[in-house]
Amino acid sequence: MSTRREIFCNPHYYLEAMKHKYPDVFIDWCCTELSHVLDFKGTDSIGDVLKGNTEVKYPKNSIKKVKGQKRKLTGGVFGAPLTAEGYCQAKLLIEYLKRHLHMEGIFRIPGNAERQRKLKEKIISGEVIDLDSDIFTPHDVACTLKAFLGELPEPLLSDRQFQAHVQAAGLTYKLEDYNPSGMNEDNKRKWKEKRKLDHIMALTYLCLMLNTCSFKLLQELLDLLHLAAREQSNNKMTAFNLGVMFAPHILWPRYFTTEDVRDQDFVNKLNTGVEFMIKHAQKICRVPEFLLAKCEKYLKNGGSLEPRMEAPTVDTTETDGVAISRPQHSNVHVKSRHTTEQALGHLYDDIKHMEPSAKKRKLMKNFAKNCHMPGTPTNVREGSAKLMRQKKHSRSKSFGGVIKKHVLGSTHRKNKKNAVLSPTSSQTPTQHERVNNNLKSPDVVSTTPSYHYTKRDPLSQRLFSSDMPYADASTPKRSTDTPTKHGKEN
């Protein structure tokens, strides 16, 4: 039985997704691996520069002043930063050159300047170019490719990685001439092999830290130069010659100083570094398997190397080498309307059997308020409607109400039912007669209802003032010696 496996058109899918979604984490991973073979604690601060914590310093006496210089961008291809469009145009030239690598002096013999200008104009205009049937020669196409790489605002390997490439090139520079004392031949061979592996490892992670377009174009270019070096018997171009031709375009920084150019040993070190890249192009551009697995695990776990939850497996069936995904059954259970109504009914019964409290009244009020909503159970509708029809409970009596009832008697309840009367409200003669008859003292007679209080009863003084909205004319005068509200006793 064949094992199940995922099939992607792009084998570097998880790598590119990791660089796009978690670029800082991916850079940290690469720098951790590079710290094993490069010196991150030196004066160059390679680690901080690669991580972006330190800006690249541009010398004042540079040959090509890029910082602050306005470059003329023509058509967004030549002289512009590398984009997907520029990558596609460069790949078109590379694919054509792969079929003509047997030409002697390829990349070294200059082509016709006029034909190169026409080729550039066609590339800039976006025309469909058939290089095989056109007037352009392989030398014209090779020179146009070098011009495209040389006119980039920064080299293909980026200015930020320049010092790291210089240190990596020192791992194998003049390695064959180095004869450490105290080592036998077997140890010397192992030591040299280790230096080569460290150089390859450093170049691998430096290339992986490039952006997607630069990494893909570097892969295509190194593959082209590797094939050209294998045809050196016909084209007379060795790997060192190709390194000398392309080092200024893909590695030399645009801020290269005049002192650096005069230092021939330093220039040879850079050229041999590019030569090493050409010779070991297939190993350098190979992504480590453990890094791909690490990126896949990190993405599937949602940004963590530790699993958070078990991801559903995809059942695939292989048919003639093609993975076909089967439709997966959903494991999400959606609650039906019947289940929701049943749960609401149980909740209503539980609240109904609660002890009388303010919380119970509030919950029952909410049920009654929303009983018209769709999905409400029948028992909830009936119970809420019954609750709404019930008469409101009598309000609890306050202390002031008890005093009014005790002092005023039944008149207080009658006046409370009637409309509120102001002190100037009209009254019938019958009411006035009743007021006058109830007053025991003949000295105090008034057509306007007045209220009497004693000095011994301050609460009555506050309750039965003339500002009260309720007029009670039937209140008897307690004492004839007590002054009225409107004046002293006559």
Side-chain angles (χ1 to χ4, degrees):
M1 183 177 180
S2 60
T3 58
R4 297 175 180 176
R5 58 187 179 87
E6 292 178 317
I7 299 178
F8 295 100
C9 297
N10 182 9
H12 298 159
Y13 168 77
Y14 288 114
L15 176 70
E16 296 178 3
M18 185 71 191
K19 292 170 66 176
H20 175 73
K21 194 171 183 180
Y22 305 101
D24 296 336
V25 177
F26 186 79
I27 294 283
D28 289 340
W29 290 354
C30 293
C31 289
T32 302
E33 299 296 333
L34 286 172
S35 63
H36 299 158
V37 294
L38 299 181
D39 183 14
F40 275 26
K41 298 181 180 179
T43 57
D44 297 332
S45 302
I46 296 177
D48 294 335
V49 174
L50 292 177
K51 292 180 180 180
N53 299 332
T54 305
E55 295 296 331
V56 180
K57 297 180 180 180
Y58 296 90
K60 295 181 180 180
N61 56 343
S62 59
I63 297 177
K64 295 182 179 181
K65 294 183 180 180
V66 180
K67 187 176 182 181
Q69 180 183 5
K70 295 182 179 179
R71 299 180 60 88
K72 184 179 179 181
L73 306 181
T74 55
V77 178
F78 289 90
L82 184 62
T83 59
E85 179 186 1
Y87 163 73
C88 294
Q89 297 291 353
K91 186 177 181 181
L92 177 66
L93 303 178
I94 291 174
E95 293 296 332
Y96 171 80
L97 291 173
K98 284 182 179 180
R99 300 190 293 268
H100 300 83
L101 291 177
H102 61 279
M103 296 288 295
E104 185 176 352
I106 193 71
F107 299 113
R108 179 173 53 84
I109 299 176
N112 185 271
E114 183 63 22
R115 291 196 298 265
Q116 294 175 31
R117 184 185 63 80
K118 292 181 180 180
L119 179 58
K120 287 183 178 180
E121 290 178 354
K122 288 189 175 183
I123 292 176
I124 293 172
S125 62
E127 296 182 16
V128 179
I129 306 173
D130 187 4
L131 297 175
D132 292 319
S133 60
D134 215 324
I135 60 175
F136 310 110
T137 64
H139 296 294
D140 299 333
V141 177
C143 291
T144 304
L145 177 62
K146 289 194 299 181
F148 170 78
L149 296 173
E151 293 180 13
L152 291 174
E154 64 175 346
L156 191 61
L157 296 176
S158 75
D159 294 335
R160 190 173 294 277
Q161 295 185 4
F162 175 68
Q163 295 297 333
H165 279 285
V166 172
Q167 193 176 134
L171 295 173
T172 56
Y173 181 57
K174 295 182 179 181
L175 186 62
E176 300 299 332
D177 301 334
Y178 185 73
N179 294 315
S181 59
M183 286 189 181
N184 54 27
E185 294 298 327
D186 188 32
N187 291 336
K188 287 182 181 179
R189 180 181 57 82
K190 291 181 180 179
W191 180 78
K192 291 181 180 180
E193 288 295 328
K194 184 179 182 305
R195 300 279 287 191
K196 289 181 180 180
L197 292 177
D198 291 345
H199 193 180
I200 292 174
M201 176 182 175
L203 293 175
T204 298
Y205 285 100
L206 287 173
C207 294
L208 289 175
M209 292 173 67
L210 297 172
N211 60 67
T212 303
C213 291
S214 298
F215 178 68
K216 289 183 177 180
L217 182 56
L218 182 64
Q219 282 183 313
E220 298 288 342
L221 181 64
L222 291 180
D223 184 52
L224 171 68
L225 299 179
H226 180 75
L227 295 177
R230 293 173 58 180
E231 294 286 340
Q232 61 180 344
S233 59
N234 297 323
N235 56 32
K236 310 301 181 184
M237 294 295 293
T238 62
F240 179 76
N241 294 337
L242 294 171
V244 172
M245 299 298 300
F246 279 89
H249 301 304
I250 67 174
L251 180 58
W252 287 18
R254 302 297 184 253
Y255 59 85
F256 216 44
T257 62
T258 55
E259 287 78 7
D260 294 333
V261 176
R262 292 193 185 101
D263 189 356
Q264 191 61 38
D265 185 69
F266 181 71
V267 172
N268 290 335
K269 184 178 181 179
L270 299 180
N271 294 340
T272 53
V274 178
E275 176 192 4
F276 187 87
M277 296 177 68
I278 295 173
K279 287 182 177 180
H280 303 87
Q282 296 179 347
K283 296 180 180 179
I284 292 172
C285 297
R286 185 183 305 162
V287 183
E289 292 294 334
F290 85 93
L291 183 61
L292 287 174
K294 192 174 182 180
C295 293
E296 178 182 357
K297 184 178 181 181
Y298 196 87
L299 290 170
K300 288 186 175 180
N301 291 338
S304 174
L305 293 176
E306 299 297 331
R308 295 183 178 180
M309 57 181 299
E310 185 177 356
T313 58
V314 179
D315 189 11
T316 59
T317 303
E318 296 188 7
T319 305
D320 298 333
V322 180
I324 304 175
S325 298
R326 293 179 178 176
Q328 301 298 309
H329 297 286
S330 175
N331 56 356
V332 179
H333 300 283
V334 182
K335 293 184 178 181
S336 62
R337 180 176 176 180
H338 177 71
T339 307
T340 305
E341 294 181 358
Q342 188 177 7
L344 284 174
H346 291 317
L347 178 62
Y348 181 79
D349 293 337
D350 293 339
I351 296 174
K352 190 176 180 180
H353 291 84
M354 289 173 59
E355 295 293 333
S357 61
K359 184 177 181 181
K360 177 182 178 180
R361 290 193 297 271
K362 182 177 179 181
L363 294 175
M364 295 297 289
K365 184 178 179 180
N366 289 337
F367 267 107
K369 182 178 180 181
N370 301 304
C371 64
H372 64 281
M373 299 295 292
T376 305
T378 306
N379 62 334
V380 177
R381 289 179 183 272
E382 294 177 353
S384 300
K386 184 178 179 180
L387 182 65
M388 294 295 290
R389 289 194 300 266
Q390 289 179 356
K391 186 178 180 180
K392 294 184 179 180
H393 67 281
S394 59
R395 299 182 60 86
S396 59
K397 297 180 180 180
S398 62
F399 182 68
V402 174
I403 295 177
K404 289 181 180 180
K405 182 179 178 181
H406 177 72
V407 175
L408 302 179
S410 60
T411 309
H412 171 66
R413 291 192 296 271
K414 293 180 181 180
N415 291 338
K416 195 172 182 180
K417 290 183 179 180
N418 298 330
V420 178
L421 300 177
S422 62
T424 57
S425 300
S426 61
Q427 295 183 355
T428 60
T430 308
Q431 290 176 329
H432 283 287
E433 295 174 358
R434 189 185 302 113
V435 170
N436 295 332
N437 294 332
N438 290 335
L439 292 176
K440 295 181 180 180
S441 176
D443 298 333
V444 181
V445 179
S446 177
T447 57
T448 305
S450 60
Y451 307 94
H452 308 278
Y453 58 90
T454 63
K455 294 182 179 179
R456 297 179 181 179
D457 192 2
L459 183 59
S460 300
Q461 179 182 357
R462 186 170 65 253
L463 290 175
F464 308 125
S465 63
S466 61
D467 296 335
M468 288 184 60
Y470 298 100
D472 191 353
S474 62
T475 306
K477 184 177 179 181
R478 288 192 173 187
S479 176
T480 57
D481 298 334
T482 304
T484 61
K485 182 179 178 182
H486 298 287
K488 297 182 179 180
E489 182 183 11
N490 294 328

